[in-house]
Amino acid sequence: MPYPTEPPALVKPLPDDDLSQAAHSHRPSPWHFVLLPLSLVMLTPLVWMVVTAVSTPEESRQFPPALPTSIQWSNFADVWAGSPFGHWLVNTAIVSGVVLVSNLVLCSTAGYAFARLRFRGSGLAFMLLLTTLMVPFQVVLIPTLLIVKSFGLIDHLGALIVPNLVTAFGVFMMRQFFLALPPDLEEAGRIDGASRLGVFMKILLPLMGPPLATLAILTFLSIWNDFLWPLVAIQSPENMTMQLGLSTFQGAHLTDWPLLMAATLMSQLPVIVLFLLAQRVFVRSIASSGIK
């Protein structure tokens, strides 16, 4: 039996059209030449924050700026030793965690009520809710402070939690997602004997993963980086949050920039890690939200 002169092809070659399409898909877009310089510009403050965090005070104040001659890892240890940084971290984590859970529960239930329940004055109530989004926080700062003072929560972590238990934006966003779900799912559950709460808990909420993740990220970022309201409501150092504590590194006449940048870098690491872990869900939910 004669042997074949050439071995059989193990992979079927692609047609010319498929080859050209595959090559075109890996070809860089012209937008990359615009987005790449912009991304480098946006990364410059973050890179310079890292460089300053490992510099000496003299190197951080020299002009023109230059890279440090040696990496000062001791700046991070000095932040923990010279300030109650761990206490600020715990306070911020408590406030962010409680507000995050309350917003997920209350905003989802309120959004479902506005999307599916028809009651007298529901449209007017929703319009009044939307109007609050157009009011700057500085306008309601003093009334909110007086309300919190009447509850006896001044200089307490409760002053940072209670006004943020539910947000109008969270209710609006969850309502938009509930409107995007087909009502047939709820009708099928009601026919099978499920209550409205059962339909909400067992059918709708499992489908709301992306919007809930988006609400969680936005709420966490807002509370973690909040500075103005803690500055007004908190007075004692033991109740300070992270952003308010960072302001103590700045003096009236001199600022220790390496320690300030080291503390800032450590305070932003949880936010960066959270966004990197959930960015795919975040982008998917924004793309499918239908919010213009």
Side-chain angles (χ1 to χ4, degrees):
M1 179 177 180
Y3 292 97
T5 56
E6 295 181 359
L10 299 179
V11 180
K12 184 179 179 179
L14 294 174
D16 295 338
D17 295 339
D18 295 341
L19 288 174
S20 60
Q21 184 177 1
H24 182 72
S25 61
H26 294 286
R27 187 181 305 168
S29 172
W31 282 104
H32 291 163
F33 297 101
V34 179
L35 297 178
L36 183 59
L38 291 178
S39 62
L40 295 178
V41 171
M42 297 179 66
L43 285 175
T44 300
L46 180 61
V47 173
W48 194 249
M49 179 178 65
V50 176
V51 171
T52 307
V54 295
S55 303
T56 61
E58 293 76 15
E59 291 174 340
S60 64
R61 291 191 294 266
Q62 68 180 1
F63 185 83
L67 295 177
T69 56
S70 62
I71 299 179
Q72 303 294 323
W73 297 111
S74 59
N75 291 337
F76 298 94
D78 293 341
V79 170
W80 287 87
S83 65
F85 187 83
H87 201 69
W88 299 338
L89 183 64
V90 172
N91 290 341
T92 310
I94 292 174
V95 174
S96 301
V98 174
V99 173
L100 174 61
V101 174
S102 67
N103 271 264
L104 291 179
V105 175
L106 298 179
C107 291
S108 60
T109 52
Y112 174 74
F114 280 117
R116 291 291 188 259
L117 302 183
R118 293 295 179 262
F119 53 91
R120 181 177 298 179
S122 60
L124 178 60
F126 183 69
M127 291 302 297
L128 292 177
L129 181 71
L130 291 182
T131 56
T132 60
L133 295 175
M134 297 181 289
V135 180
F137 177 71
Q138 291 78 4
V139 175
V140 297
L141 180 63
I142 301 302
T144 305
L145 181 63
L146 295 178
I147 295 174
V148 170
K149 182 180 178 181
S150 65
F151 290 156
L153 297 177
I154 293 297
D155 198 21
H156 192 272
L157 292 183
L160 308 179
I161 295 175
V162 173
N164 297 304
L165 287 176
V166 61
T167 59
F169 175 77
V171 175
F172 168 69
M173 188 179 69
M174 295 305 295
R175 174 186 178 271
Q176 297 302 110
F177 277 100
F178 277 117
L179 289 177
L181 295 178
D184 297 341
L185 297 174
E186 303 172 53
E187 296 176 0
R190 299 298 297 272
I191 292 174
D192 291 339
S195 62
R196 186 175 290 275
L197 181 60
V199 170
F200 174 75
M201 296 293 295
K202 299 179 181 179
I203 298 178
L204 298 182
L205 278 186
L207 300 175
M208 301 293 288
L212 289 175
T214 302
L215 180 61
I217 294 175
L218 295 178
T219 303
F220 183 83
L221 291 176
S222 175
I223 300 302
W224 188 274
N225 295 321
D226 191 14
F227 174 75
L228 179 58
W229 177 240
L231 179 64
V232 175
I234 300 299
Q235 301 171 357
S236 57
E238 60 270 13
N239 291 327
M240 286 184 177
T241 55
M242 185 69 63
Q243 303 303 322
L244 188 58
L246 292 178
S247 63
T248 61
F249 288 94
Q250 293 179 298
H253 304 287
L254 184 64
T255 300
D256 195 339
W257 292 108
L259 293 186
L260 178 59
M261 292 298 104
T264 304
L265 180 61
M266 290 189 292
S267 69
Q268 293 304 310
L269 284 180
V271 179
I272 296 174
V273 171
L274 176 65
F275 182 78
L276 291 178
L277 293 177
Q279 62 175 338
R280 182 174 300 179
V281 180
F282 178 77
V283 173
R284 187 191 311 148
S285 61
I286 292 297
S288 60
S289 63
I291 301 177
K292 303 300 182 182

